[in-house]
Amino acid sequence: MNKNFIPAQAIIREIIRENEQIATFRLELTNKRLPFTFLPGQFLMLSVPHCGEAAISISSSPDRLPLVDLSIRRAGELTTAIHGMKKGDQVGIRGPFGKAFPIEDFANRDLLFVAGGIGLAPLKSVIDHCLFQSGLEEDAVQSITLLYGSRTPSDIAFKQAIESWQKQGVDCRLTVDEKDSTWNGHVGLVTELLTDVTITGNTKALVCGPPIMIRFVIASLADLGCGDESIFTTLERHMKCGMGICGHCHLDGRLICLDGPVFNVSQLKKLDVMEFAR
Amino acid sequence: MIDLKELILSKDNLYPLLRKLRKEARLIAPVKNEHGDTLFRPVGDIDTTDIDLENQPQESLKPFFLPQQETLTGYTINKGEYSFSPPPPAKNTIFFGVRSCDLTALLYMDLIFSKPFKDATYFDRRNHSLIITLGCNQPFANCFCEATGSGPYLEYGYGLQFIDIGDRYYVSAGRGKGADLLNKWSYFFREVEEEDQNRRYQLFLEARGQFTRNIQVPHACRKLQQEPVAEAIWEKLSSRCYDCGGCAYVCPTCTCFSVDDKPQDNNSGIRVRSWDACTSSGFTRMTGGHNPVDRTRHALKRRFLHKLKHDFASHGKASCTGCGRCIDICFGGVDITTFIELFTQQEKP
């Protein structure tokens, strides 16, 4: 797709309500001849009529193309507006932008995903992609474990995806900060789930969620012996262009939109970044 | 065809030449207005316009390539169809009387707007422009381009470079459009003689000797690669930053921008790009109010480190061109030279 300021039109094919705040919008380009492909971890600049643009991670696997999912939490003007849209409505997209997760290094690995809230969105793209691959190729991933934290049981998003992953052999462990009468699972922070997980030299950990969660999970993973080059996260910053020009996501000589949003801890250590406080 | 790389233009021939150029393209030059301000403006009637080559233009060329506000695309929502239209094409423009620092800034902008994707709107303007610079024989009060390697004369980047050598200009052509222009209007010019060359060289040496401010830019850049800036320096500077954005707006290399939609009616609107700056409080604030930058302590950190540390590391050169405009505009006295002075005096922690 043309990587400039003119968005391409996309049509909302389906809306999957994930929880009170989060919905997944399944999009398709109206011009099917436009070349469009992406890798897990990349993001799009989404245009919503009269609301401008926002950077949104792609939450589906590239294997689902031409359909592409954006899972969006209702937070500001643009995200509230798209939550008011319906199937058949049009939005604009530019991209894909940013560096992806190094999925080529994930073959034969034990993958550990640690997510909080909407942070599962970019990781979902990787999980779906790995599961799709393992159905096809010999050198697929060894195992997939997901640790997922939510505020309350009703905040748990991506339930449909999680059920399908469990059926495909993904070890999914959920926790909530506050339980209610319906919940008999784990209560507490997602870092507590880490103590029951085996981490070996073959583990690659992918972490995404609120900055404070990322910080503590990275610290715990390091304590458990996970190497800096084996822990990946994806950063969220205010962005206006996605192309390395507008300057908003500039961080210590790096641009999150070009050099990120995916970083390993070894790269984060060189940056003055709150997700990795030294 | 003879190689017309360097020629002499008698000052008597300047206005006749400009008159020809104005017929070919929009001509922009430093013009003194009725208030006494010198600003780059389109030149209408050359005989009644006060083209001012004596004073430093108050703004750089930045607004002509990255306007304070511009429409990137228009959009319409028609029967459910959400579509976008391209911006109008750029006009052919000749810029005359541009100072070395401001052209250096434009070369830096070329870099920023082309990595790794080309900004089509910017390059449309750039490709439709020819820049004629005027070397500085006398630095202005706040200038320090010698320390930033962006003046007083230039070696490349210009369409044409004019050097005032008394009653005539020593004119050098860059590649492409500049050389074409000299070829086309060769009858206004004469060959360079040895005396012209000597005069030019002598003026260059004199110009370099006239800088009153000794700002240690390369030293600061190298030192920044080696050691961190004391927190006390950031706090001292930030305490007098009033968030006005003035430094970034007058800065020829501050190119950060914001993009916002402005609805015109229910079914259409424009997507507008406008100047923004890391010195503004909302610059990094995300939806929900979370801001990864602590502004009371670090309001100016990004700006100075970007120009002096990070750009030096990636391009081998600071992205400060020594034009000195930020010195005049800051009523808090926390311009880049203050930072350089404080940091170069900082003792190794």
Side-chain angles (χ1 to χ4, degrees):
Chain A
M1 207 194 313
N2 176 21
K3 290 196 173 164
N4 227 302
F5 286 101
I6 313 292
Q9 296 160 281
I11 189 158
I12 300 176
R13 290 286 181 216
E14 199 180 337
I15 301 172
I16 303 147
R17 188 139 293 287
E18 306 287 3
N19 68 20
E20 272 289 298
Q21 300 298 321
I22 302 170
T24 295
F25 297 85
R26 187 153 291 165
L27 309 179
E28 185 178 15
L29 285 175
T30 54
N31 180 353
K32 294 187 178 60
R33 279 175 310 190
L34 267 185
F36 179 74
T37 182
F38 68 92
L39 290 168
Q42 288 193 295
F43 65 92
L44 295 177
M45 293 300 291
L46 168 73
S47 289
V48 173
H50 300 313
C51 297
E53 289 184 307
I56 310 280
S57 302
I58 300 170
S59 58
S60 57
S61 157
D63 310 298
R64 294 293 301 268
L65 281 166
L67 296 173
V68 51
D69 288 0
L70 299 179
S71 299
I72 299 170
R73 190 166 69 94
R74 198 184 316 168
E77 196 190 331
L78 180 145
T79 53
T80 302
I82 196 172
H83 272 257
M85 295 178 88
K86 51 188 194 307
K87 212 159 101 172
D89 285 350
Q90 288 192 4
V91 293
I93 55 174
R94 294 191 294 122
F97 297 114
K99 288 225 160 66
F101 286 102
I103 44 171
E104 65 284 359
D105 295 343
F106 293 166
N108 298 313
R109 296 283 186 177
D110 295 302
L111 297 186
L112 172 63
F113 294 86
V114 187
I118 185 77
L120 184 52
L123 304 187
K124 180 178 173 292
S125 175
V126 186
I127 299 174
D128 280 342
H129 180 63
C130 291
L131 290 172
F132 185 85
Q133 292 291 311
S134 65
L136 292 176
E137 289 177 31
E138 287 286 304
D139 54 352
V141 295
Q142 197 81 241
S143 72
I144 300 177
T145 306
L146 167 68
L147 312 181
Y148 184 43
S150 306
R151 225 166 268 160
T152 69
S154 63
D155 287 320
I156 297 171
F158 306 104
K159 284 190 191 112
Q160 210 182 313
I162 292 170
E163 268 174 42
S164 132
W165 293 337
Q166 280 169 323
K167 282 181 198 147
Q168 292 173 79
V170 177
D171 180 2
C172 299
R173 306 181 194 187
L174 275 55
T175 183
V176 296
D177 296 347
E178 279 171 53
K179 65 171 190 167
D180 61 17
S181 55
T182 64
W183 185 252
N184 45 27
H186 191 276
V187 180
L189 299 175
V190 76
T191 37
E192 293 167 18
L193 298 180
L194 274 174
T195 47
D196 293 335
V197 175
T198 317
I199 285 166
T200 68
N202 198 43
T203 305
K204 296 274 178 194
L206 289 78
V207 185
C208 187
I212 184 111
M213 185 214 93
I214 296 180
R215 189 152 97 199
F216 282 100
V217 171
I218 288 175
S220 304
L221 285 168
D223 289 343
L224 294 166
C226 207
D228 288 349
E229 316 241 313
S230 294
I231 309 173
F232 303 88
T233 189
T234 165
L235 302 184
E236 187 189 6
R237 288 292 183 278
H238 189 49
M239 292 177 190
K240 286 293 187 184
C241 73
M243 306 186 285
I245 313 173
C246 80
H248 285 264
C249 69
H250 186 273
L251 179 87
D252 243 14
R254 299 259 169 262
L255 290 158
I256 305 301
C257 66
L258 295 183
D259 301 305
V262 172
F263 292 96
N264 67 34
V265 168
S266 164
Q267 292 165 324
L268 284 188
K269 276 186 174 171
K270 295 182 192 124
L271 301 174
D272 182 10
V273 48
M274 62 182 171
E275 283 85 350
F276 191 87
R278 278 165 284 188
Chain B
M1 193 177 291
I2 45 163
D3 179 23
L4 296 176
K5 236 184 146 194
E6 295 192 321
L7 288 174
I8 299 297
L9 179 75
S10 154
K11 283 191 175 171
D12 292 340
N13 279 338
L14 176 65
Y15 275 33
L17 173 68
L18 292 181
R19 221 168 268 130
K20 295 285 186 197
L21 299 185
R22 205 184 71 78
K23 285 187 184 146
E24 289 188 356
R26 184 171 67 138
L27 178 67
I28 308 259
V31 173
K32 189 181 272 188
N33 68 15
E34 67 271 32
H35 311 293
D37 300 328
T38 299
L39 299 157
F40 282 107
R41 288 292 176 267
V43 175
D45 181 354
I46 289 186
D47 297 306
T48 58
T49 306
D50 188 359
I51 296 177
D52 179 7
L53 301 178
E54 299 301 316
N55 296 294
Q56 184 183 28
Q58 279 156 265
E59 94 277 56
S60 69
L61 285 193
K62 181 171 81 175
F64 294 93
F65 293 92
L66 178 68
Q68 195 161 9
Q69 284 213 328
E70 66 173 321
T71 300
L72 287 174
T73 166
Y75 63 85
T76 53
I77 307 135
N78 189 10
K79 291 178 186 150
E81 193 183 339
Y82 181 33
S83 54
F84 298 84
S85 54
K91 290 183 192 140
N92 277 328
T93 306
I94 297 173
F95 294 88
F96 175 72
V98 176
R99 300 295 174 152
S100 304
C101 52
D102 290 342
L103 179 63
T104 305
L106 202 57
L107 300 180
Y108 171 77
M109 280 174 82
D110 290 350
L111 211 61
I112 296 305
F113 284 83
S114 62
K115 262 188 180 180
F117 311 114
K118 283 210 161 189
D119 184 310
T121 312
Y122 172 86
F123 277 98
D124 187 31
R125 295 198 179 102
R126 198 66 176 90
N127 294 334
H128 285 86
S129 69
L130 169 74
I131 318 279
I132 303 176
T133 61
L134 175 65
C136 292
N137 286 334
Q138 175 104 46
F140 300 102
N142 291 324
C143 292
F144 56 100
C145 67
E146 221 217 345
T148 51
S150 39
Y153 296 179
L154 289 173
E155 279 161 21
Y156 61 90
Y158 44 78
L160 295 174
Q161 174 171 247
F162 277 45
I163 305 291
D164 184 338
I165 55 167
D167 61 356
R168 59 207 187 275
Y169 293 104
Y170 190 111
V171 180
S172 313
R175 255 178 264 143
K177 282 189 224 168
D180 294 347
L181 196 148
L182 282 196
N183 279 326
K184 185 166 178 190
W185 305 108
S186 57
Y187 61 86
F188 284 115
F189 298 83
R190 69 160 170 83
E191 299 283 308
V192 173
E193 286 164 18
E194 196 181 337
E195 195 213 324
D196 302 315
Q197 284 173 336
N198 292 343
R199 181 80 190 123
R200 182 190 191 274
Y201 187 60
Q202 187 190 346
L203 284 167
F204 173 64
L205 293 181
E206 283 174 21
R208 288 184 60 181
Q210 289 185 51
F211 285 88
T212 48
R213 305 202 57 181
N214 175 26
I215 311 293
Q216 298 183 43
V217 181
H219 173 54
C221 291
R222 282 191 294 269
K223 187 169 162 156
L224 279 168
Q225 312 301 318
Q226 313 292 330
E227 57 183 273
V229 181
E231 281 290 306
I233 292 182
W234 295 129
E235 283 172 32
K236 183 183 167 125
L237 295 172
S238 297
S239 71
R240 290 203 67 195
C241 171
Y242 301 104
D243 227 18
C244 72
C247 54
Y249 295 156
V250 295
C251 178
T253 62
C254 269
T255 55
C256 289
F257 57 80
S258 198
V259 181
D260 295 286
D261 279 5
K262 302 226 184 296
Q264 310 287 70
D265 54 50
N266 277 346
N267 301 317
S268 69
I270 50 173
R271 180 156 292 169
V272 175
R273 159 152 79 182
S274 47
W275 291 352
D276 203 345
C278 61
T279 49
S280 306
S281 59
F283 192 70
T284 46
R285 191 169 54 225
M286 289 186 280
T287 301
H290 176 69
N291 196 337
V293 177
D294 174 1
R295 304 210 42 83
T296 52
R297 286 167 53 225
H298 293 151
L300 293 163
K301 187 176 178 181
R302 285 162 69 99
R303 189 175 136 76
F304 294 154
L305 289 189
H306 187 177
K307 291 197 185 301
L308 302 172
K309 182 184 174 186
H310 305 312
D311 279 335
F312 185 83
S314 27
H315 317 304
K317 209 174 157 185
S319 54
C320 168
T321 65
C323 74
R325 292 187 180 94
C326 60
I327 301 170
D328 271 336
I329 206 129
C330 185
F331 56 88
V334 289
D335 60 78
I336 200 163
T337 61
T338 314
F339 169 72
I340 293 170
E341 276 164 6
L342 284 173
F343 178 63
T344 48
Q345 285 158 21
Q346 169 186 302
E347 284 177 23
K348 208 166 185 162

